[in-house]
Amino acid sequence: MFTRRKQLVLLGLLLTVMTLWACGTDRDDERPLVVTTTTYVGDLVRQIGGPYIEVITLIGPGIDPHDYQPRQSDTKWLLDADLVVINGLNLEERFGEVLRNLDSRSLLVLGDHVKTEQLLFEAPNVPDPHIWFDPAIWMALAPVVRDALIAIDPANQAAYTARTLQYQRDIEVFVHYAMQQVETVPSSRRILVTAHDAFAYFGRAFGFEVYAVQGISTSGEASIVDIENLARLLAELDIPALFVETTVPEATIQAVVEAAAALNHTVVVGGTLYSDSAGVIASGTDTYLRAYRHNITTIIQALQSHD
Ligand SMILES: [Zn+2]
């Protein structure tokens, strides 16, 4: 017979076991688990890891990583992961707390592996986190991911190495295509205007001037002064088109269109760009290269069609 005291101890043990069990993510996949924050980081890891790893992406398509608040289920995934890969450079502004609980050996911060001279800065010591839009940076990060995967899964070293080389070639082919497309737009027209300042690396890589209503973060609302200043600039430079982003509400861009109209300058929405997130699978823009190709096509068509 159990005494009442023993019964209570047993009950306590049972509850502890049940709680621990409920905390896990209860996966039956035996492959290494890599948890990533953004869709672009998830895609980079998937391209190199292929079928040998399971990749979970916490911040889905169309969701703004600047103000995404990690959920409790995200914390479970992060604690379960063999490797966590994030963009860093303060893109995932609200992840600081949950990442502090992780073993630093299982955390790969891509931004920490970009050479300082390759980074763009919004202010001293405030690097622009939108590094994926510089294909040279993204290509250089592929071997960094490869090495992290080899560290958790040395048995598949050869596969990760081969896939990295293939992916770097894919990026090269894309850059060649994109350069050819950009050359069809006169250099005086290579001006990109968006809701938030996500495209500075794109501008540097492809020779565009870039302007945005908001800075490199989307936190806080765009002010009326920001909107009016940008509308004045559009009128002065005679810019025909600006662009909506999938992760930023369209209202900001519509406000700029209206402010420009008040200055007798007609500007149209040239289309929607994937800025801080790739698209859903059904849209055909679910990878970094597919989303980037969509952006190039959208930008080129909008800027060409206003003769
Ligand atoms: Zn952004």
Side-chain angles (χ1 to χ4, degrees):
M1 276 294 279
F2 290 120
T3 62
R4 185 168 169 74
R5 190 181 178 72
K6 275 186 181 165
Q7 279 177 337
L8 281 174
V9 170
L10 277 173
L11 183 66
L13 274 173
L14 186 65
L15 283 173
T16 308
V17 169
M18 283 175 69
T19 311
L20 284 173
W21 176 75
C23 277
T25 46
D26 199 23
R27 56 192 286 266
D28 51 14
D29 195 321
E30 304 219 320
R31 298 172 297 172
L33 172 64
V34 184
V35 175
T36 62
T37 48
T38 72
T39 52
Y40 295 130
V41 174
D43 178 56
L44 179 59
V45 173
R46 245 179 228 111
Q47 296 296 336
I48 295 161
Y52 307 100
I53 54 170
E54 183 187 8
V55 181
I56 296 289
T57 296
L58 301 179
I59 309 173
I63 299 171
D64 181 356
H66 296 283
D67 72 353
Y68 179 82
Q69 181 69 50
R71 288 174 281 189
Q72 208 169 6
S73 55
D74 295 341
T75 308
K76 288 178 187 173
W77 280 116
L78 288 165
L79 292 172
D80 246 19
D82 296 292
L83 174 67
V84 174
V85 188
I86 72 166
N87 186 88
L89 303 173
N90 205 32
L91 177 74
E92 303 95 335
E93 293 172 28
R94 300 189 182 197
F95 272 74
E97 186 86 6
V98 291
L99 293 176
R100 260 193 289 281
N101 297 325
L102 292 182
D103 180 346
S104 61
R105 284 169 301 178
S106 64
L107 175 64
L108 172 60
V109 181
L110 294 178
D112 293 351
H113 293 265
V114 181
K115 294 194 183 95
T116 311
E117 60 267 29
Q118 284 188 298
L119 288 174
L120 293 170
F121 288 81
E122 188 182 48
N125 299 318
V126 184
D128 180 340
H130 306 88
I131 48 177
W132 55 91
F133 280 138
D134 182 341
I137 290 180
W138 214 235
M139 208 185 297
L141 288 171
V144 175
V145 171
R146 174 199 64 201
D147 292 348
L149 293 183
I150 291 171
I152 58 165
D153 182 26
N156 287 309
Q157 173 166 3
Y160 298 140
T161 303
R163 294 184 68 92
T164 299
L165 286 172
Q166 180 59 51
Y167 192 51
Q168 289 180 309
R169 279 196 288 270
D170 292 347
I171 296 178
E172 266 171 9
V173 168
F174 166 73
V175 170
H176 183 70
Y177 159 82
M179 287 288 190
Q180 282 180 329
Q181 293 296 305
V182 166
E183 276 163 21
T184 65
V185 176
S187 51
S188 62
R189 295 261 190 89
R190 292 178 201 163
I191 300 174
L192 181 70
V193 184
T194 57
H196 97 294
D197 210 350
F199 291 90
Y201 289 99
F202 161 81
R204 185 178 68 179
F206 292 102
F208 273 70
E209 275 178 63
V210 295
Y211 298 98
V213 186
Q214 284 182 288
I216 56 173
S217 171
T218 54
S219 56
E221 298 249 310
S223 75
I224 292 172
V225 175
D226 291 336
I227 288 166
E228 286 180 348
N229 283 343
L230 189 61
R232 209 165 294 125
L233 186 81
L234 293 173
E236 275 167 22
L237 298 178
D238 196 25
I239 296 170
L242 39 63
F243 299 87
V244 175
E245 298 166 54
T246 57
T247 52
V248 182
E250 192 171 339
T252 309
I253 280 299
Q254 285 303 341
V256 178
V257 171
E258 283 160 29
L263 298 169
N264 289 322
H265 177 64
T266 304
V267 60
V268 299
V269 175
T272 301
L273 304 181
Y274 294 98
S275 54
D276 291 6
S277 147
V280 294
I281 292 175
S283 68
T285 53
D286 57 315
T287 68
Y288 165 71
L289 287 179
R290 287 177 189 155
Y292 212 146
R293 182 179 278 258
H294 164 95
N295 287 351
I296 291 284
T297 306
T298 305
I299 292 166
I300 301 307
Q301 281 177 355
L303 297 180
Q304 272 178 339
S305 61
H306 293 272
D307 283 315

